[in-house]
Amino acid sequence: MFVSRGELIIRFDKVSFDYGPMKPILHEADFSVRRGTKLTLMGQNGAGKSTIFKLITGELKPETGDIHTDDSFTFAVARQIMPQEDLGRTIRKFFERSFARKVYDIDPRIDKVLGVVNMPADHEKLIRSFSGGQQARLLLASALIQDPDLLLLDEPTNNLDREGIRHLTQFLIDYKKTCIVISHDAAFLNAFTQGVLYLDIFNKRVEQYIGNYFDLLREISARIEKENRKNAQLAKKIQANKEKANYFSHKGGQMRLVARKMRDEAEELEESMVDIRKEDKTIRPFRIPSQPELIGEIVRISSFSIIKSHKVVEKTAGISLKKNTHLLLRGPNGIGKSTLLEALANRTAKGASIAAGVRIGYYRQDFSTLNFEDTVRESLSGVMSVQTEEKLRAVAAGFLITEHLINTKIGHLSEGQKGLVSFARLVLEEPGLLILDEPTNHMNFRHLPVITSALTRYEGAMILVSHVPEFVQQIRIDEILELE
């Protein structure tokens, strides 16, 4: 268990919470957070990590149990996605919303916190004019500017380039207050984490560990090995008792009493067997089929635009993509990578052409290609050329989309589950051109090797943007287009 000298500021006491009978999140969960600690909150996609944040902030209330907090402590949350209502606001108006009361010296505070996230900007600039990575920095800055006692960060490295992650990591190393981070980036977490809160999707409880993520893995592995060893020993005794009971039961007289005693002992031993800790489920290996009839050039990029020093700059290129050709777009946050991908997906990119008849599979980092009012079933069936219930369910099951999720609205899913639905749609679409914008965001680390393998084996043309070097290094890349 995690131990710290700081005073308790949060304590969950047998807290249970669910989103209805089909979606339990917590069952009598117990854990505590001490002042000044830096913790990681981990768990499978859809387990309920963001829900725990909402319970801490009071946005949600527990069904049963109690959440004890220090009445004097303040908190701030850096969320994953910029709210739609903030996109039309200026930077100044956006940061003013971080405070309950008017702050008269807001401008120097904004400049200071933008320096922390390495993104100086005009305070009159609209939020929607920033890239996804820049918006991620603004969300982080909106929490930091409040200088809270407890900082809650929900996937803060998503969309950040290497420089942004470096700045954030150093900030958290130097941070003197309490911090809880949700992230699937092990290298980032291990740089500053002192303990792990692990939300078990099977028993709906929170396990508390000392050390970083690798320490967690070692402790869980040792525990599973110990449980397996204990059960193996009990199983041998149970089998021996049952065999003796069967032998003595045929002898008659006092031997039958011995047989009954042996059976009773076997039953007691069976009750002593422990439930082996279950590991998070991983998506099944999958293949994204390529549109079969395509031949020749699929995409040509002869020129493109970037944003440099707040100005549009035209660049020339000589990119030609055919089947089985994978292109990586590379450049810092704000240079225009996502803008170029969107224009390509919409066939409106100036200086680029896509062959007629090519089906485009587009994975957006903000999931705006998904209709949040659709159920998962409607979203998947909507991209199928031939409607087959058996195929739809088989593909969905491979991405951990279970029976109770298939009829859930997209908007009610976690960000990680939306990502799995997006990959399932790509499998059913069978695109000739695959356009991927940060496809590892929100993904459980256990899924990444499976995704890496599927993308490497994809036989159509592919254009990828990713700021995760470990992911990019494992995928087959044939060409790189440096935007800067």
Side-chain angles (χ1 to χ4, degrees):
M1 295 292 288
F2 182 76
V3 180
S4 173
R5 295 177 183 174
E7 61 185 292
L8 281 179
I9 58 173
I10 298 172
R11 181 165 63 86
F12 274 49
D13 183 9
K14 298 196 179 306
V15 171
S16 296
F17 180 85
D18 60 63
Y19 290 108
M22 297 299 291
K23 196 172 181 183
I25 301 296
L26 292 177
H27 177 67
E28 297 187 349
D30 297 301
F31 70 89
S32 58
V33 178
R34 294 183 178 271
R35 190 180 296 276
T37 56
K38 298 169 189 175
L39 303 176
T40 295
L41 176 55
M42 301 191 77
Q44 189 168 313
N45 291 138
K49 300 183 294 296
S50 297
T51 298
I52 288 180
F53 273 13
K54 292 177 181 178
L55 287 166
I56 290 173
T57 63
E59 185 177 341
L60 295 174
K61 302 296 182 185
E63 307 289 337
T64 60
D66 297 299
I67 300 174
H68 305 278
T69 60
D70 182 335
D71 293 335
S72 65
F73 95 112
T74 57
F75 58 81
V77 184
R79 303 199 184 279
Q80 300 182 39
I81 302 293
M82 182 68 70
Q84 287 291 317
E85 61 267 22
D86 283 331
L87 294 177
R89 293 190 169 94
T90 64
I91 278 189
R92 183 180 291 105
K93 292 293 184 184
F94 171 70
F95 280 105
E96 285 176 346
R97 278 169 46 82
S98 300
F99 299 94
R101 299 174 183 174
K102 184 173 179 62
V103 178
Y104 291 95
D105 61 341
I106 190 74
D107 285 305
R109 288 198 189 191
I110 293 173
D111 287 332
K112 182 179 179 181
V113 78
L114 289 180
V116 171
V117 298
N118 194 35
M119 203 190 88
D122 182 348
H123 297 187
E124 295 302 321
K125 196 171 181 182
L126 293 178
I127 299 296
R128 68 162 50 94
S129 65
F130 293 95
S131 71
Q134 291 171 319
Q135 288 181 18
R137 296 188 193 205
L138 290 173
L139 287 167
L140 175 61
S142 70
L144 300 182
I145 200 172
Q146 300 172 56
D147 191 26
D149 296 312
L150 173 62
L151 186 60
L152 302 172
L153 305 181
D154 197 350
E155 300 284 6
T157 61
N158 282 355
N159 304 318
L160 290 186
D161 57 20
R162 187 177 302 181
E163 187 65 14
I165 293 174
R166 188 181 68 80
H167 270 263
L168 174 58
T169 303
Q170 190 58 49
F171 170 82
L172 291 173
I173 290 172
D174 298 335
Y175 194 58
K176 303 302 182 188
K177 296 186 178 181
T178 314
C179 182
I180 305 177
V181 182
I182 296 172
S183 178
H184 294 111
D185 186 338
F188 163 70
L189 294 172
N190 288 342
F192 63 88
T193 294
Q194 300 164 326
V196 177
L197 301 172
Y198 192 91
L199 176 52
D200 191 316
I201 197 170
F202 299 102
N203 64 24
K204 314 300 179 187
R205 293 197 170 114
V206 177
E207 300 169 351
Q208 202 157 2
Y209 297 88
I210 190 169
N212 61 28
Y213 170 66
F214 292 136
D215 297 322
L216 162 74
L217 282 187
R218 281 192 291 270
E219 190 164 338
I220 287 177
S221 296
R223 180 171 138 196
I224 292 174
E225 184 179 347
K226 182 179 178 181
E227 289 170 349
N228 279 323
R229 194 163 54 242
K230 179 180 178 181
N231 279 356
Q233 291 170 347
L234 288 172
K236 285 178 83 172
K237 290 182 181 178
I238 291 167
Q239 184 62 30
N241 275 27
K242 286 182 176 179
E243 289 175 356
K244 289 177 183 177
N246 288 336
Y247 175 77
F248 290 130
S249 64
H250 293 98
K251 296 296 183 181
Q254 287 292 108
M255 291 297 100
R256 289 187 177 179
L257 294 176
V258 173
R260 182 178 298 175
K261 184 178 178 181
M262 290 288 184
R263 288 197 180 96
D264 290 342
E265 287 180 2
E267 289 177 4
E268 289 176 8
L269 290 170
E270 284 176 338
E271 290 176 1
S272 300
M273 293 186 76
V274 297
D275 290 331
I276 303 297
R277 187 193 188 284
K278 296 179 182 177
E279 285 295 273
D280 286 348
K281 293 181 180 177
T282 305
I283 58 176
R284 290 203 293 258
F286 67 96
R287 173 177 168 267
I288 301 175
S290 171
Q291 191 174 346
E293 67 274 14
L294 296 180
I295 57 173
E297 187 175 71
I298 295 174
V299 183
R300 172 167 288 277
I301 303 175
S302 54
S303 65
F304 58 93
S305 301
I306 63 168
I307 307 297
K308 192 75 172 174
S309 301
H310 310 293
K311 295 180 181 179
V312 177
V313 178
E314 299 294 330
K315 295 258 190 173
T316 59
I319 301 293
S320 176
L321 301 182
K322 299 180 181 180
K323 289 192 70 170
N324 214 24
T325 309
H326 297 175
L327 170 69
L328 174 69
L329 297 187
R330 198 155 60 186
N333 287 147
I335 202 167
K337 300 185 298 297
S338 294
T339 301
L340 176 55
L341 290 188
E342 183 178 9
L344 287 167
N346 295 332
R347 299 177 185 266
T348 58
K350 185 181 176 182
S353 61
I354 298 173
V358 174
R359 286 197 299 272
I360 300 174
Y362 183 23
Y363 186 111
R364 281 189 65 125
Q365 58 177 274
D366 61 1
F367 305 120
S368 58
T369 54
L370 303 177
N371 183 345
F372 282 22
E373 291 302 311
D374 281 349
T375 65
V376 174
R377 180 196 297 278
E378 290 168 341
S379 185
L380 297 181
S381 65
V383 298
M384 297 179 71
S385 56
V386 178
Q387 298 295 316
T388 308
E389 178 72 10
E390 185 179 358
K391 181 177 180 180
L392 185 151
R393 284 182 171 274
V395 171
F399 289 95
L400 307 182
I401 300 169
T402 56
E403 181 66 32
H404 82 273
L405 278 181
I406 199 84
N407 293 314
T408 301
K409 285 189 175 183
I410 297 291
H412 295 165
L413 302 178
S414 72
E415 300 305 302
Q417 289 170 323
K418 290 171 189 169
L420 295 180
V421 170
S422 296
F423 271 111
R425 281 166 55 95
L426 294 177
V427 171
L428 295 171
E429 278 180 303
E430 301 186 4
L433 170 62
L434 200 54
I435 298 178
L436 303 166
D437 193 0
E438 300 287 3
T440 62
N441 282 1
H442 319 290
M443 283 296 165
N444 187 313
F445 68 95
R446 296 182 189 279
H447 304 332
L448 296 186
V450 182
I451 294 170
T452 300
S453 175
L455 297 184
T456 294
R457 293 183 292 117
Y458 176 64
E459 295 178 352
M462 185 174 83
I463 304 176
L464 169 70
V465 166
S466 175
H467 285 120
V468 183
E470 297 82 7
F471 174 67
V472 172
Q473 289 164 8
Q474 295 177 52
I475 292 179
R476 177 173 58 81
I477 298 295
D478 303 297
E479 295 194 51
I480 297 176
L481 179 56
E482 296 280 3
L483 297 195
E484 189 169 26

